[in-house]
Amino acid sequence: MSVQVLYFARFRETLGVDSEAVEGAYLTIRALREFLVLRGGVWQVLAERNLMCARNEELCQLDEPLEPGDEVAFFPPVTGG
């Protein structure tokens, strides 16, 4: 199974990458995130508690199930003023 992962804002800057195809069988976005965090180093930024995510351009929770070919986006919370 492959999913396309997009990184936005501070995550993109910290990781030095804006997207990648990730191979593996991840049942949920949480499982995918845990895999990415285990890379260590700068990838720890994805362990943030308030991380936001989307699946196929729809905001969702970390327990959202994944299907082959899905697009997952990770981004920090949006603040406005």
Side-chain angles (χ1 to χ4, degrees):
M1 174 170 123
S2 175
V3 294
Q4 186 68 23
V5 183
L6 309 175
Y7 307 102
F8 290 96
R10 182 170 38 83
F11 295 156
R12 178 180 59 228
E13 294 166 11
T14 300
L15 299 172
V17 63
D18 59 359
S19 67
E20 66 176 312
V22 177
E23 297 290 331
Y26 306 101
L27 297 179
T28 64
I29 292 177
R30 182 181 312 278
L32 172 63
R33 180 179 79 155
E34 289 170 359
F35 165 78
L36 296 169
V37 168
L38 285 174
R39 291 175 170 175
V42 296
W43 294 94
Q44 295 296 309
V45 71
L46 296 177
E48 286 186 11
R49 193 171 120 168
N50 294 327
L51 168 133
M52 295 182 70
C53 58
R55 176 179 169 240
N56 300 327
E57 299 183 10
E58 297 284 333
L59 287 176
C60 63
Q61 300 297 313
L62 289 170
D63 291 329
E64 182 78 13
L66 286 177
E67 299 287 333
D70 278 349
E71 178 184 85
V72 175
F74 290 115
F75 46 98
V78 178
T79 60

